[in-house]
Short mmCIF file of all heavy atoms in Angstrom, two decimals:
data_model
loop_
_atom_site.label_atom_id
_atom_site.label_comp_id
_atom_site.label_asym_id
_atom_site.label_seq_id
_atom_site.Cartn_x
_atom_site.Cartn_y
_atom_site.Cartn_z
N PHE A 28 -25.87 -29.65 -31.84
CA PHE A 28 -26.60 -30.85 -32.28
C PHE A 28 -27.83 -31.07 -31.41
O PHE A 28 -28.05 -32.13 -30.85
CB PHE A 28 -25.67 -32.06 -32.21
CG PHE A 28 -24.38 -31.85 -32.95
CD1 PHE A 28 -23.24 -31.43 -32.28
CD2 PHE A 28 -24.30 -32.05 -34.32
CE1 PHE A 28 -22.05 -31.22 -32.96
CE2 PHE A 28 -23.12 -31.84 -35.01
CZ PHE A 28 -21.99 -31.41 -34.33
N LEU A 29 -28.65 -30.01 -31.29
CA LEU A 29 -29.84 -30.06 -30.45
C LEU A 29 -31.08 -30.16 -31.33
O LEU A 29 -31.18 -29.49 -32.37
CB LEU A 29 -29.91 -28.81 -29.57
CG LEU A 29 -28.66 -28.55 -28.71
CD1 LEU A 29 -28.76 -27.20 -28.02
CD2 LEU A 29 -28.46 -29.66 -27.69
N GLN A 30 -32.05 -30.97 -30.88
CA GLN A 30 -33.22 -31.26 -31.71
C GLN A 30 -34.42 -30.37 -31.40
O GLN A 30 -35.19 -30.03 -32.28
CB GLN A 30 -33.61 -32.73 -31.54
CG GLN A 30 -32.51 -33.72 -31.90
CD GLN A 30 -32.07 -33.60 -33.35
OE1 GLN A 30 -32.91 -33.48 -34.25
NE2 GLN A 30 -30.76 -33.60 -33.59
N ASP A 31 -34.60 -30.02 -30.12
CA ASP A 31 -35.79 -29.26 -29.75
C ASP A 31 -35.52 -28.45 -28.49
O ASP A 31 -34.41 -28.49 -27.93
CB ASP A 31 -37.00 -30.20 -29.53
CG ASP A 31 -36.69 -31.34 -28.55
OD1 ASP A 31 -36.00 -31.08 -27.53
OD2 ASP A 31 -37.14 -32.47 -28.80
N ARG A 32 -36.52 -27.70 -28.03
CA ARG A 32 -36.34 -26.80 -26.90
C ARG A 32 -36.00 -27.56 -25.63
O ARG A 32 -35.15 -27.12 -24.84
CB ARG A 32 -37.61 -25.97 -26.68
CG ARG A 32 -37.47 -24.92 -25.58
CD ARG A 32 -38.69 -24.03 -25.48
NE ARG A 32 -38.46 -22.92 -24.55
CZ ARG A 32 -38.65 -23.02 -23.24
NH1 ARG A 32 -39.10 -24.16 -22.70
NH2 ARG A 32 -38.41 -21.97 -22.45
N ASN A 33 -36.62 -28.71 -25.40
CA ASN A 33 -36.33 -29.49 -24.19
C ASN A 33 -34.88 -29.94 -24.16
O ASN A 33 -34.22 -29.91 -23.11
CB ASN A 33 -37.26 -30.70 -24.10
CG ASN A 33 -38.68 -30.32 -23.72
OD1 ASN A 33 -38.89 -29.29 -23.08
ND2 ASN A 33 -39.65 -31.14 -24.09
N GLU A 34 -34.37 -30.34 -25.32
CA GLU A 34 -32.97 -30.74 -25.37
C GLU A 34 -32.06 -29.54 -25.16
O GLU A 34 -31.00 -29.64 -24.52
CB GLU A 34 -32.67 -31.41 -26.71
CG GLU A 34 -31.34 -32.17 -26.71
CD GLU A 34 -31.11 -32.98 -27.96
OE1 GLU A 34 -32.06 -33.13 -28.77
OE2 GLU A 34 -29.97 -33.45 -28.14
N ALA A 35 -32.47 -28.39 -25.68
CA ALA A 35 -31.69 -27.17 -25.48
C ALA A 35 -31.65 -26.80 -24.00
O ALA A 35 -30.60 -26.42 -23.46
CB ALA A 35 -32.27 -26.03 -26.30
N LEU A 36 -32.79 -26.91 -23.32
CA LEU A 36 -32.85 -26.61 -21.88
C LEU A 36 -31.95 -27.56 -21.10
O LEU A 36 -31.25 -27.15 -20.17
CB LEU A 36 -34.29 -26.71 -21.39
CG LEU A 36 -35.23 -25.57 -21.79
CD1 LEU A 36 -36.67 -25.91 -21.44
CD2 LEU A 36 -34.83 -24.26 -21.12
N ALA A 37 -31.97 -28.85 -21.46
CA ALA A 37 -31.12 -29.83 -20.77
C ALA A 37 -29.64 -29.54 -21.01
O ALA A 37 -28.81 -29.67 -20.09
CB ALA A 37 -31.47 -31.24 -21.24
N PHE A 38 -29.31 -29.14 -22.24
CA PHE A 38 -27.93 -28.80 -22.58
C PHE A 38 -27.46 -27.61 -21.75
O PHE A 38 -26.36 -27.62 -21.19
CB PHE A 38 -27.85 -28.48 -24.08
CG PHE A 38 -26.50 -28.00 -24.55
CD1 PHE A 38 -25.51 -28.90 -24.89
CD2 PHE A 38 -26.23 -26.64 -24.65
CE1 PHE A 38 -24.26 -28.45 -25.33
CE2 PHE A 38 -24.99 -26.18 -25.08
CZ PHE A 38 -24.02 -27.09 -25.42
N ILE A 39 -28.29 -26.58 -21.68
CA ILE A 39 -27.94 -25.38 -20.92
C ILE A 39 -27.85 -25.69 -19.42
O ILE A 39 -26.96 -25.17 -18.72
CB ILE A 39 -28.98 -24.26 -21.18
CG1 ILE A 39 -28.95 -23.85 -22.66
CG2 ILE A 39 -28.72 -23.04 -20.30
CD1 ILE A 39 -30.11 -22.99 -23.09
N HIS A 40 -28.70 -26.55 -18.93
CA HIS A 40 -28.68 -26.94 -17.51
C HIS A 40 -27.38 -27.69 -17.19
O HIS A 40 -26.73 -27.43 -16.17
CB HIS A 40 -29.89 -27.81 -17.19
CG HIS A 40 -30.08 -28.05 -15.73
ND1 HIS A 40 -29.39 -29.03 -15.03
CD2 HIS A 40 -30.88 -27.43 -14.81
CE1 HIS A 40 -29.75 -29.00 -13.76
NE2 HIS A 40 -30.66 -28.04 -13.59
N ALA A 41 -26.99 -28.62 -18.08
CA ALA A 41 -25.74 -29.35 -17.87
C ALA A 41 -24.54 -28.41 -17.94
O ALA A 41 -23.54 -28.60 -17.24
CB ALA A 41 -25.60 -30.46 -18.91
N TYR A 42 -24.66 -27.38 -18.75
CA TYR A 42 -23.59 -26.39 -18.88
C TYR A 42 -23.41 -25.62 -17.57
O TYR A 42 -22.31 -25.21 -17.22
CB TYR A 42 -23.94 -25.43 -20.01
CG TYR A 42 -22.82 -24.50 -20.42
CD1 TYR A 42 -22.00 -24.81 -21.50
CD2 TYR A 42 -22.59 -23.31 -19.74
CE1 TYR A 42 -20.98 -23.95 -21.89
CE2 TYR A 42 -21.57 -22.45 -20.11
CZ TYR A 42 -20.77 -22.77 -21.18
OH TYR A 42 -19.75 -21.93 -21.55
N GLY A 43 -24.53 -25.41 -16.85
CA GLY A 43 -24.41 -24.73 -15.56
C GLY A 43 -25.52 -23.77 -15.22
O GLY A 43 -25.51 -23.17 -14.14
N TYR A 44 -26.50 -23.60 -16.12
CA TYR A 44 -27.56 -22.61 -15.87
C TYR A 44 -28.95 -23.24 -15.99
O TYR A 44 -29.27 -23.90 -16.99
CB TYR A 44 -27.43 -21.45 -16.87
CG TYR A 44 -26.16 -20.66 -16.68
CD1 TYR A 44 -25.02 -20.93 -17.44
CD2 TYR A 44 -26.07 -19.67 -15.70
CE1 TYR A 44 -23.85 -20.22 -17.26
CE2 TYR A 44 -24.89 -18.96 -15.50
CZ TYR A 44 -23.79 -19.24 -16.28
OH TYR A 44 -22.62 -18.55 -16.08
N ASP A 45 -29.73 -23.01 -14.95
CA ASP A 45 -31.11 -23.48 -14.92
C ASP A 45 -32.00 -22.30 -15.31
O ASP A 45 -32.22 -21.39 -14.51
CB ASP A 45 -31.46 -23.99 -13.52
CG ASP A 45 -32.87 -24.53 -13.42
OD1 ASP A 45 -33.63 -24.43 -14.41
OD2 ASP A 45 -33.23 -25.07 -12.36
N LEU A 46 -32.54 -22.33 -16.52
CA LEU A 46 -33.30 -21.18 -17.02
C LEU A 46 -34.64 -21.02 -16.32
O LEU A 46 -35.30 -19.99 -16.50
CB LEU A 46 -33.52 -21.31 -18.53
CG LEU A 46 -32.24 -21.30 -19.39
CD1 LEU A 46 -32.59 -21.21 -20.86
CD2 LEU A 46 -31.30 -20.16 -19.00
N ALA A 47 -35.02 -22.00 -15.50
CA ALA A 47 -36.23 -21.85 -14.69
C ALA A 47 -35.99 -20.91 -13.52
O ALA A 47 -36.93 -20.42 -12.90
CB ALA A 47 -36.71 -23.21 -14.18
N LYS A 48 -34.72 -20.63 -13.22
CA LYS A 48 -34.35 -19.71 -12.15
C LYS A 48 -34.11 -18.33 -12.74
O LYS A 48 -33.36 -18.17 -13.71
CB LYS A 48 -33.10 -20.20 -11.43
CG LYS A 48 -33.29 -21.54 -10.71
CD LYS A 48 -32.01 -21.97 -10.01
CE LYS A 48 -32.22 -23.27 -9.24
NZ LYS A 48 -30.97 -23.74 -8.60
N VAL A 49 -34.73 -17.34 -12.13
CA VAL A 49 -34.69 -15.98 -12.65
C VAL A 49 -33.25 -15.47 -12.75
O VAL A 49 -32.86 -14.86 -13.76
CB VAL A 49 -35.52 -15.02 -11.76
CG1 VAL A 49 -35.35 -13.58 -12.23
CG2 VAL A 49 -36.99 -15.43 -11.79
#
Side-chain angles (χ1 to χ4, degrees):
F28 307 96
L29 305 173
Q30 302 299 316
D31 52 40
R32 185 175 188 274
N33 286 335
E34 194 173 350
L36 286 171
F38 175 84
I39 297 167
H40 190 278
Y42 190 97
Y44 295 96
D45 182 355
L46 297 189
K48 296 180 178 178
V49 174

